Amino acid sequence: MVPSILFEIMLIGLLGIGAQWAAWRYRIPAIVVMSVTGLLVGPILGFINPEEDFGNLYNPIISVAVAIILFEGSLNLNFKELRGLGKPVFRISTIGAFIAWILGSLTAHYIAGLSWPVAFVIGGLFIVTGPTVIMPLLRQSKLKPRPAKILKWEGIIVDPIGALLAVFAFEIIAYLTAENPNGTALVLFFVGSVFAGIFGWLCGRGIGWMFETGHIPEFLKSPAVFVVVILCFTIPDEFMHETGLLSVTAMGITLANMGISSVADMRHFKENVSILLISAIFIMLTASLKMDTLLQIFSPNIIGYVLLMMFAVRPLSIFLSTIKTDLSLNEKALVGWIAPRGIVALTVSSYFASILTDAGYEDASILTTLTFGLVIFTVIAHGFSIRGLAKKLHLSMEGRPGTLIVGSNPFTVELAKSLRKARVPIIIVDSSWEKLRYARKEGVPFYHGEMLSEQTEYNLDTIPYEYIIAATDFHSYNALVCTTFMPEYGRTNVFKISPFRQIDSSSSDIVSKIGGRILFKEKMALDDLNEKINNGYIFRQTTITQQYSYKQYVEEKDDATVFLYVIKPSGQIRFYAEDTKAIPGAGDIIVSLTPPNKEIKKIQAKLENQRSNGTNNGTKE
């Protein structure tokens, strides 16, 4: 039975998100899993073919999705990020793109066997990388900030440039090969490109102004942005094909640099939508390929072309364009290797394959095969190698997931020291220089600044830290910090210290639902924890084994002990929270805050005395 369109849409969404989950679960590059999944259900098993099944809706769906993805990526391009990186990013996006165009065109002609006109069109297109493939790689590889920012900026800025270069090359070819050359098309191309940039800027300024002045209610802001993005893409694209990508990029960058708080609030929602679209579009594109295309990519000329693009064209363009910049050799090597192609390359190449073939260039028929070969080889090679190469070049944030603690006081400093002893990256953030004296005295890494300020966002590198703990004296501020960073860190990785020493039944539910998760099952308030530190309580590590179970460990501990966190054999940290359900197993190390030895002896004597009295009472009875 042929599946219905509704069933196919459901299946595409299910497979896309399933591929993302499998990639996260087994630490495999997501774009690789999505590509393989699409190939399995499409050309290999023949279960679906979205291009045929969706008919005339297929291309518009892909185009709108690409526009939204590119807009979401450009929303992250704040010019403040370019401090110290403006020169290399500018050169890579201009000089590097031009060098890649020329070298890629030469390779396409001499190695892939394409005619000069087709080679220059495809050479312009293949300078793109794009957020659809770069963002998933950066999300998983945890690069250091400098190379990560360069790859992100290049991927988003060069995406529309590559598409426009391909259009420009085609217009030049049409002009030079025409019997009666007419420069009108070339003039329209330049006018269309300028119009797209200005229109995108106007859309960004317009929607930003409406947000700032309150002309759009809060519940309509996200829908309004989506509608304007589609408008911003469609109008220029109707005027000149592929200029819509430039327009939405300009709109996103404009909004990103206006400093509008509501745009920052929506960024996480649009990022979630972008992940859904990337997952679905990758499945659709790969599932629409034909088996002949898959077999054709293993021909010698296509493999030779792909290898030269990966090992010669890309590294040369990066090294030549970054001469006399402050990029280190290791950074140049990493950026010169990582250049996966994705959705934009596939969609635009299929468009040019059609119009070039209609124009009489028969060799353009292999453009889809050539593009898919470059996409699949770069996705696999760069997806599996980026983490190892970055580690080898000392450009990755390797090590155990770190913890960022907001608030400097005796307890948080001792907690940071214990985490540091376990080789966990830590940092304490506080706006009070006076309170930071605890951290300074103990030699604990710290940052002096307001955690919620924009300045801290750009000056504090938060990449090494997977967990955040809000532990200041102000309970409402702790809840605000957790609420602010919950979308970025995840609900399970954001914690706060209990605001109450004794939580009654009426306040418990409210407190647990506001902000992050409350640390420690005992619901110890910060005053309690600081008091224990002042009374000489110490941090102890206990290893759970087959012979010494977690149940035995808990039974031996008294009520004064506070269970803090568990160190898994893999290096992962699991903090004790009010809703913790996992039970530590053999090999886990439990870190707890326990009474000093004198206190332990007193408590043991007290317990022994209680047992003795209970026995005597029982005898008398």
Side-chain angles (χ1 to χ4, degrees), residues 55-118:
N56 293 332
L57 288 176
Y58 178 78
N59 287 327
I61 290 173
I62 298 291
S63 297
V64 170
V66 170
I68 294 171
I69 293 166
L70 196 55
F71 169 75
E72 190 277 326
S74 61
L75 266 185
N76 297 305
L77 300 184
N78 194 304
F79 291 128
K80 292 181 180 179
E81 280 191 358
L82 289 179
R83 292 174 181 171
L85 291 175
K87 189 176 181 180
V89 168
F90 176 78
R91 286 198 179 183
I92 290 172
S93 303
T94 53
I95 299 172
F98 179 76
I99 294 172
W101 179 27
I102 300 302
L103 294 178
S105 302
L106 293 172
T107 307
H109 176 70
Y110 288 109
I111 304 301
L114 298 178
S115 61
W116 281 116
V118 177

Side-chain angles (χ1 to χ4, degrees), residues 453-579:
S453 75
E454 187 178 2
Q455 194 70 18
T456 299
E457 181 182 351
Y458 294 110
N459 291 336
L460 178 63
D461 176 21
T462 59
I463 291 178
Y465 310 109
E466 191 169 310
Y467 305 99
I468 186 168
I469 296 175
T472 70
D473 296 327
F474 305 100
H475 310 312
S476 58
Y477 179 79
N478 293 339
L480 181 60
V481 168
C482 292
T483 303
T484 301
F485 289 96
M486 197 176 292
E488 180 178 346
Y489 283 80
R491 187 174 299 275
T492 58
N493 291 359
V494 176
F495 304 94
K496 64 182 178 184
I497 300 295
S498 172
F500 302 109
R501 285 191 162 187
Q502 293 181 345
I503 303 180
D504 57 32
S505 58
S506 62
S507 62
S508 178
D509 290 341
I510 297 174
V511 171
S512 64
K513 288 180 173 61
I514 298 177
R517 301 161 68 199
I518 295 178
L519 273 178
F520 318 132
K521 288 185 177 180
E522 291 80 359
K523 297 179 180 177
M524 303 291 295
L526 184 60
D527 290 339
D528 296 319
L529 295 167
N530 282 329
E531 184 178 316
K532 289 181 181 295
I533 296 297
N534 294 332
N535 288 337
Y537 276 56
I538 58 178
F539 287 76
R540 295 183 186 274
Q541 290 189 358
T542 305
T543 302
I544 303 300
T545 64
Q546 295 290 348
Q547 294 74 29
Y548 185 62
S549 68
Y550 179 67
K551 183 179 180 181
Q552 290 175 278
Y553 170 77
V554 173
E555 290 174 349
E556 291 180 6
K557 293 298 177 183
D558 54 77
D559 293 338
T561 299
V562 181
F563 299 153
L564 301 175
Y565 58 90
V566 178
I567 305 174
K568 308 294 288 185
S570 62
Q572 288 283 331
I573 299 294
R574 293 288 183 269
F575 286 96
Y576 276 92
E578 59 175 355
D579 54 353

Side-chain angles (χ1 to χ4, degrees), residues 611-621:
R611 292 193 193 99
S612 177
N613 289 337
T615 303
N616 292 335
N617 291 336
T619 303
K620 288 178 181 179
E621 290 175 358

Side-chain angles (χ1 to χ4, degrees), residues 199-347:
F199 188 71
W201 178 81
L202 288 173
C203 287
R205 295 296 299 183
I207 198 76
W209 175 79
M210 295 183 76
F211 282 2
E212 286 183 306
T213 54
H215 283 79
I216 298 179
E218 199 67 33
F219 74 96
L220 276 181
K221 285 183 176 180
S222 290
V225 168
F226 275 107
V227 170
V228 174
V229 168
I230 297 172
L231 167 76
C232 185
F233 171 78
T234 304
I235 299 300
D237 211 62
E238 289 291 313
F239 183 72
M240 174 64 65
H241 199 69
E242 303 304 333
T243 56
L245 298 178
L246 175 63
S247 186
V248 294
T249 303
M251 177 183 170
I253 294 176
T254 302
L255 275 172
N257 290 277
M258 289 181 67
I260 303 171
S261 59
S262 54
V263 172
D265 295 337
M266 288 188 298
R267 185 177 290 129
H268 299 292
F269 169 71
K270 288 191 287 293
E271 184 178 296
N272 293 335
V273 173
S274 179
I275 290 174
L276 177 62
L277 290 175
I278 289 172
S279 306
I281 298 307
F282 252 105
I283 299 293
M284 289 175 64
L285 286 171
T286 51
S288 298
L289 293 169
K290 295 178 172 56
M291 184 59 73
D292 293 342
T293 302
L294 289 181
L295 298 176
Q296 203 174 10
I297 66 173
F298 295 103
S299 59
N301 60 330
I302 291 181
I303 292 179
Y305 171 77
V306 170
L307 291 177
L308 276 176
M309 288 290 290
M310 293 169 60
F311 291 98
V313 173
R314 171 67 178 182
L316 276 173
S317 65
I318 295 299
F319 275 87
L320 291 176
S321 63
T322 54
I323 293 173
K324 292 186 178 180
T325 63
D326 62 347
L327 290 187
S328 66
L329 184 61
N330 286 357
E331 289 172 333
K332 291 180 182 179
L334 181 67
V335 175
W337 168 243
I338 302 300
R341 274 64 169 191
I343 290 173
V344 172
L346 281 171
T347 55

